[in-house]
Amino acid sequence: MQLRDPRSVTRVAVIGAGTIGASWAAHFLGQGMDVRAWDPAPGGERRARDFIANAWSAVERLGCADSASPDRLSWHDTVAAALDGAEFVQESAPEKRDVKSSLYRQLDDALPDGVIMSSSTSGLIMSELQAGHACAARFVVGHPFNPPHLIPLVEVLGGKDTAPEAVDWTLAFYNAFGKKAIRLNKEVPGHLVNRLQAALWREAMDAVVTGLAGVDDVDTAIAYGPGLRWGVMGPFRLCALAGGPGGFGNFLDHFGPAIEDWWRDMRDVQLTPEVRATLTARAKEAFGARPIADIAAERDTLLLAMMETLSRTRRDKGYP
């Protein structure tokens, strides 16, 4: 398989330009690229351009290429037109297997030679999506975290028909253009990080349903407790620190029995209609009168401040 130097990419196609796709477009534009976008939804272009305009100040604060400009976005009426001349493709179609499979049939006919298609799927299995497609060897998962123009992490993995060099190339590409890409070694529903999140969501929702704590207190517990530590260091390193000079092994020796007791006490939470109604009512009581757009703006403001501080400190201290 002939693949260009991933650092040489200057033209990206964004296929599917809803919330995730438009955020991807903002990121790639901030890297100084030309972005060729397509989305079938009525009014999609206007919404995408408005999203990018609103996100641009944040993109600039995080650091832009000298050639970065939202004016380098072009909109196209067909998938084939958007793919014409593209050197990388980020697919962000709805999280539905049949929708993606239909789209991939169009990619089979129009994906330029030597170009990788990376899917933003948050939990579908690439082996199932790519089966039977002519370009399957160049289909990978590149799952971002919302919003992609702010959050650097991307999970990368291939399906059973993906060429190994396609995965290597995609990791190198993302890491060359402002992302922190990680390699997953096998396919599971939800990939890695969404499964980690799901474990936390289960306990958070169970705490509310069983009356252990209210919505506001659960959110505060994470935001002002472990969430602060998780923003700077992952669980294995934090556990090693909790073990003191003996490190991770001492952590397991000291806390392992209690942790096993907690695991055994955790319930298998089912989102029945009654549980859904309870959670929705409690959430509405906590923040229902506040527009979602205001909550998103608060998130982005705090994320930017935290990311700028962490980036500066890591650079000054030589931390990875």
Side-chain angles (χ1 to χ4, degrees), residues 12-13 15 83 86-91 107 111-112 115-118:
V12 169
I15 303 301
L83 294 179
E87 298 164 339
F88 175 76
V89 179
Q90 187 73 45
E91 173 267 305
L107 266 61
L111 188 65
V115 171
I116 301 297
M117 188 286 296
S118 185

Side-chain angles (χ1 to χ4, degrees), residues 80-206:
L83 294 179
D84 186 24
E87 298 164 339
F88 175 76
V89 179
Q90 187 73 45
E91 173 267 305
S92 301
E95 191 75 350
K96 298 179 180 178
R97 186 175 289 105
D98 58 339
V99 172
K100 289 186 183 292
S101 293
S102 176
L103 177 61
Y104 290 4
R105 286 194 289 273
Q106 298 182 62
L107 266 61
D108 279 341
D109 296 330
L111 188 65
D113 291 342
V115 171
I116 301 297
M117 188 286 296
S118 185
S119 175
S120 298
T121 177
S122 59
L124 297 177
I125 300 298
M126 177 51 73
S127 290
E128 298 173 358
L129 295 174
Q130 71 187 174
H133 288 284
C135 296
R138 292 183 279 138
F139 290 175
V140 304
V141 171
H143 173 229
F145 284 81
N146 190 30
H149 69 281
L150 294 183
I151 303 294
L153 184 68
V154 186
E155 296 176 307
V156 178
L157 68 153
K160 67 179 182 180
D161 294 328
T162 304
E165 58 265 37
V167 175
D168 294 340
W169 188 97
T170 305
L171 284 160
F173 167 76
Y174 284 132
N175 285 326
F177 290 103
K179 289 297 183 180
K180 191 73 170 179
I182 62 171
R183 183 194 304 269
L184 302 191
N185 297 320
K186 66 178 184 177
E187 296 179 287
V188 293
H191 313 319
L192 168 64
V193 183
N194 274 340
R195 293 172 72 95
L196 295 174
Q197 291 187 131
L200 176 61
W201 295 336
R202 180 189 64 188
E203 291 306 305
M205 293 179 187
D206 193 48

Side-chain angles (χ1 to χ4, degrees), residues 4 20 55 61 102 104 120 126 155 203 209 226 248 271 279 281 283 288 293 319:
R4 62 178 42 82
I20 298 300
R61 280 180 61 180
S102 176
Y104 290 4
S120 298
M126 177 51 73
E155 296 176 307
E203 291 306 305
V209 169
F248 193 81
L271 294 177
L279 290 170
Y319 297 150

